[in-house]
């Protein structure tokens, strides 16, 4: 039975070059009690070549020491008909070619020597089978198993027992590697799924980020355009302001009294508004007076009293002192108590005149006095309660313009009445022709 098994595996080995079948056959023979005779190994001081190794080590050497891609390139370069073969067929063809010295086996020898040149140099110091076994065991515990496999099998001190041990260790390492590969494949599948999920999330995040960047870029462009527009507008405004300042400076140089004239123009506008208001009130008073005049015409012809109290007068009392000399004239009262201004106004307006008032510099601006003086036809100056500046300004204006001016020392309603009477008498005397 052992011979039958041996012949069966030998035929399979010759056909496919499977070293695994030879190893299984040897294990079966060992269990059946058949003594296995190892092939005699010639001992020499030089390293063994690939084709000099036992046939059953070609499979682990080529499968462990070379990648399938590199093995395919080397094999196809020598055997072009292997280009369409799968990985297993290519592996078996390379094993069959390695059993004899050929172009492919020599290329494989040079490739392995070049790949593990450093390990081969270090192995030159190993002397004896025991040292080589220790070196192999130490390499199995590390990561340089492929280099140690090629160094050990080609070393001059490698015997059949060590070859058997190396094959066993490689066989178990391949099992462990297969288990690890399956676990790695499972982890790789999980990582690929996770990577796919993360890739989709990353793509979505990148899309959102790209959209946000586009929106921000558009917003920044709009803001920059607006900033440019505002800067241009600011430059235009600054230019306009500079031009206006230059024009103002030119006008001020051409007219040194321009500011004072502007102030006077504003005062005149204010006085004109005041005059319009007073004219409206005067018209109202005239209408009231015309309504009361038919009933009080007899009393209106009586002579005016010598003095008038500082209290508001009635329409009947005002009618008694009314004369036609001041009708449609503007009477300016300078000074006087503020509380008596309504009384002054009534005394003047019942005579048909327009009332103007200035406090003489106490409250009203002194600059407004010139506008009042220019608009007045008659000036009554209550000298006892005005400033010196206002006094001299009134006196100088009346002297220059020839306007009638009556000075009253004590501010009172009776003094105002006397002033009006004095002005009326002077006006009447001026109208009487000389004899």
């Amino acid at each position: 039975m052992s011979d039958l098994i041996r012949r069966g595996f030998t035929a399979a080995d010759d056909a496919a070059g499977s070293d695994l079948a030879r190893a299984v056959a040897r294990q079966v023979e060992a269990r059946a009690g058949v003594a296995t005779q190892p092939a005699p190994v010639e001992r020499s001081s030089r390293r063994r070549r690939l084709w000099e190794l036992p046939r059953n080590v070609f499979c682990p050497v080529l499968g462990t020491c070379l990648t399938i891609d590199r093995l395919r390139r080397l094999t196809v370069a020598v055997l072009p008909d292997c280009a369409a073969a799968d990985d297993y067929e290519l592996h078996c063809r390379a094993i069959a070619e390695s059993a004899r010295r050929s172009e492919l086996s020599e290329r494989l020898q040079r490739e392995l020597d070049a790949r593990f040149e450093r390990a081969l140099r270090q192995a030159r110091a190993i002397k004896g089978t025991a040292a080589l076994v220790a070196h192999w065991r130490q390499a199995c515990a590390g990561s340089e198993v492929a280099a140690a496999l090629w160094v050990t099998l080609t070393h001059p001190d490698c015997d059949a027992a060590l070859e058997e041990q190396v094959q066993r260790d490689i066989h178990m390492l391949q099992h462990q590697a297969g288990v690890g590969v399956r676990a790695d494949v499972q982890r790789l599948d999980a990582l690929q799924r996770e990577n796919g999920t993360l890739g989709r999330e990353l793509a979505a995040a990148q899309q959102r980020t790209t959209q946000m960047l586009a929106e921000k870029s558009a917003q920044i462009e709009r803001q920059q355009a607006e900033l440019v527009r505002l800067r241009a507008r600011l430059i235009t405004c600054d230019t306009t302001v500079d031009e206006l300042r230059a024009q103002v400076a030119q006008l001020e140089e051409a007219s040194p009294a321009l500011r004072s004239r502007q102030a006077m123009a504003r005062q005149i506008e204010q006085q004109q508004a005041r005059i319009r208001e007073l004219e409206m009130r005067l018209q109202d008073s005239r209408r009231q007076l015309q309504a009361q005049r038919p009933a009080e015409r007899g009393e209106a012809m009586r002579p005016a009293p010598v003095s008038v109290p500082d209290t508001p007068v009635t329409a009947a009392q005002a009618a008694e002192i009314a004369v036609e000399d001041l009708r449609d004239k503007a009477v300016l009262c300078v000074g006087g108590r503020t509380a008596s201004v309504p009384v002054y106004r009534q005394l003047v307006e019942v005579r048909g005149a327009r009332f103007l008032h200035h406090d003489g510099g106490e409250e009203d601006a002194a600059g407004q006095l010139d506008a009042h003086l220019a608009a007045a036809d008659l000036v009554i100056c209550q000298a006892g309660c005005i400033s010196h500046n206002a006094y001299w300004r009134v006196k100088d204006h009346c002297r220059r313009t020839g306007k009638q001016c009556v000075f009253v020392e004590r501010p009172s309603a009776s003094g105002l009445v006397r002033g009006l009477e004095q002005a009326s008498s002077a006006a009447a005397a001026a109208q009487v022709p000389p004899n």
Side-chain angles (χ1 to χ4, degrees):
M1 181 178 179
S2 299
D3 295 336
L4 182 60
I5 294 174
R6 177 181 295 180
R7 287 195 299 270
F9 281 107
T10 301
D13 183 41
D14 293 336
S18 174
D19 59 317
L20 181 60
R22 291 289 300 276
V24 173
R26 295 181 63 180
Q27 291 178 4
V28 172
E29 290 177 353
R31 291 181 181 180
V34 179
T36 304
Q37 297 295 331
V41 179
E42 295 182 0
R43 295 295 181 90
S44 64
S45 61
R46 70 174 182 84
R47 291 176 51 248
R48 294 185 294 179
R49 303 294 185 264
L50 177 62
W51 54 86
E52 296 175 352
L53 297 177
R55 188 180 183 87
N56 55 359
V57 299
F58 293 153
C59 180
V61 169
L62 298 180
T64 304
C65 298
L66 289 176
T67 62
I68 191 64
D69 293 334
R70 185 59 181 168
L71 181 62
R72 178 176 292 277
R73 285 196 296 269
L74 293 173
T75 304
V76 172
V78 179
L79 304 174
D81 58 332
C82 294
D86 58 11
D87 295 342
Y88 179 75
E89 293 177 355
L90 185 72
H91 178 73
C92 294
R93 186 68 179 273
I95 290 174
E97 291 293 327
S98 299
R100 60 186 181 88
R101 185 170 185 175
S102 62
E103 184 179 357
L104 180 59
S105 61
E106 290 181 355
R107 287 196 178 192
L108 292 175
Q109 176 71 31
R110 289 192 297 269
E111 177 70 19
L112 293 172
D113 287 344
R115 183 181 293 269
F116 306 117
E117 180 180 3
R118 179 172 171 271
L120 291 173
R121 286 199 307 267
Q122 294 176 355
R124 292 174 184 175
I126 301 174
K127 303 298 182 181
T129 304
L132 187 59
V133 171
H135 174 73
W136 168 250
R137 290 178 179 176
Q138 183 179 1
C140 288
S143 58
E144 299 294 333
V145 178
L149 175 63
W150 179 248
V151 168
T152 302
L153 292 178
T154 59
H155 197 277
D157 295 331
C158 181
D159 55 6
L162 182 55
E163 290 177 2
E164 183 71 20
Q165 185 63 40
V166 168
Q167 293 184 63
R168 290 180 179 182
D169 293 340
I170 289 296
H171 183 76
M172 297 309 298
L173 287 175
Q174 288 176 347
H175 283 307
Q176 295 176 5
V179 174
V181 167
R182 286 193 294 270
D184 291 340
V185 168
Q186 293 177 356
R187 288 195 295 269
L188 180 61
D189 292 339
L191 290 175
Q192 287 178 347
R193 291 192 297 270
E194 183 179 359
N195 184 45
T197 302
L198 294 177
R200 290 188 294 271
E201 293 179 356
L202 178 61
Q206 288 178 345
Q207 184 177 2
R208 292 194 299 271
T209 303
T210 303
Q211 184 177 0
M212 292 176 62
L213 287 176
E215 294 176 355
K216 291 297 182 182
S217 299
Q219 183 179 2
I220 291 173
E221 291 179 357
R222 291 194 299 270
Q223 291 177 351
Q224 289 178 349
E226 182 68 16
L227 180 60
V228 171
R229 188 183 66 80
L230 292 177
R231 285 179 177 175
R233 183 177 178 181
L234 179 60
I235 293 173
T236 303
C237 292
D238 292 340
T239 305
T240 305
V241 170
D242 294 338
E243 293 177 354
L244 293 176
R245 287 177 178 175
Q247 293 178 4
V248 170
Q250 292 177 359
L251 291 175
E252 289 179 351
E253 291 177 359
S255 302
L258 180 61
R259 292 186 180 274
S260 61
R261 291 180 181 178
Q262 291 177 348
M264 186 176 296
R266 288 192 294 268
Q267 295 176 2
I268 292 174
E269 291 178 357
Q270 295 175 358
Q271 294 301 324
Q272 288 177 351
R274 177 64 177 169
I275 290 171
R276 287 193 295 270
E277 179 184 359
L278 294 176
E279 287 177 350
M280 293 177 62
R281 296 177 62 180
L282 177 60
Q283 292 176 1
D284 295 339
S285 300
R286 284 178 178 177
R287 285 193 294 270
Q288 295 177 1
L289 182 60
Q290 291 175 359
Q292 296 174 359
R293 185 171 295 175
E296 300 175 355
R297 185 177 301 275
E299 297 179 0
M301 299 301 299
R302 290 187 302 178
V306 178
S307 63
V308 180
D310 291 339
T311 58
V313 296
T314 62
Q317 293 173 342
E320 293 178 356
I321 61 175
V323 295
E324 299 295 333
D325 299 329
L326 301 178
R327 184 173 298 280
D328 297 331
K329 293 184 178 181
V331 178
L332 172 62
C333 179
V334 182
R337 291 189 294 269
T338 304
S340 301
V341 172
V343 179
Y344 301 160
R345 183 185 303 279
Q346 188 173 10
L347 291 173
V348 172
E349 290 179 352
V350 297
R351 293 171 176 265
R354 187 171 68 252
F355 178 75
L356 301 176
H357 179 262
H358 192 276
D359 63 358
E362 296 296 332
E363 294 182 0
D364 297 337
Q368 297 180 358
L369 181 60
D370 294 335
H372 286 301
L373 291 172
D377 297 317
L378 171 63
V379 180
I380 297 177
C381 180
Q382 304 191 55
C385 59
I386 64 174
S387 63
H388 292 284
N389 184 24
Y391 175 81
W392 291 110
R393 189 183 294 254
V394 170
K395 189 173 183 179
D396 180 68
H397 178 81
C398 293
R399 180 180 58 80
R400 287 187 292 102
T401 59
K403 290 183 180 180
Q404 187 178 4
C405 181
V406 179
F407 291 91
V408 180
E409 295 183 358
R410 293 183 179 182
S412 62
S414 58
L416 180 63
V417 171
R418 288 193 297 271
L420 292 174
E421 292 175 350
Q422 182 179 353
S424 300
S425 301
Q431 295 177 358
V432 177
N435 294 329

